Amino acid sequence: MDFNHQNDLYVFFNINIDLLDSIYSLETSAFPEDEAASLESLKNRINQAGNLFYGIKKKETDELIGYICSTLSDKETLEHDSMLFHIENGNLLCIHSVVIKEEYQRRGLATKMMTLYVEQMKSIESITKIQLLCKDNLKGLYTKCGFSFNRISPVQHGQDHWNEMELIP
């Protein structure tokens, strides 16, 4: 799906395994070492839940500049285990990563990408809620995208606490 944003043309698309190296590069530049997903973890997410893995690229350069990846869970809330396994017909969409390349940040692209992503996910009948974990500085972004703050998450990943955010599609 093509879209215009600030006079540039972008493409929102379902990612495949061919972009694994680019995705891993974005992941490791966006997250501290103790929080970034491993190459193997990203590969498993693409292979197991590829229909939940989307990206955006600039149409003129074909450069991947952002992505969102998720898995499905049969749990009620996002837990450590729900981040490790993909349950094919799960009702909870667990968003693991929302990444925009640093030089494209603060342009509204994360908001646009997330909005397109949520609309795409609404077509999956089994999904009854969407949750993600974010740090304090990103709560505003996700609130703008329709998410509500639930609680400080009990999930420990890295050094900082995480906020559990939720959207009911």
Side-chain angles (χ1 to χ4, degrees), residues 44-107:
N44 287 338
R45 289 176 191 165
I46 293 172
N47 287 332
Q48 294 173 12
N51 63 318
L52 308 176
F53 215 125
Y54 278 78
I56 59 171
K57 60 185 176 181
K58 276 192 99 164
K59 189 159 188 166
E60 69 182 39
T61 64
D62 219 30
E63 172 192 16
L64 181 69
I65 61 168
Y67 69 91
I68 298 176
C69 68
S70 304
T71 54
L72 292 173
S73 173
D74 58 0
K75 306 286 186 195
E76 284 300 310
T77 61
L78 206 157
E79 302 170 359
H80 183 70
D81 284 352
S82 61
M83 293 171 48
L84 299 175
F85 305 105
H86 174 65
I87 307 299
E88 187 68 33
N89 292 311
N91 65 313
L92 173 63
L93 180 73
C94 305
I95 297 178
H96 300 285
S97 298
V98 178
V99 176
I100 295 289
K101 195 172 189 176
E102 187 172 11
E103 57 263 34
Y104 291 92
Q105 292 176 3
R106 318 251 359 109
R107 298 183 189 185

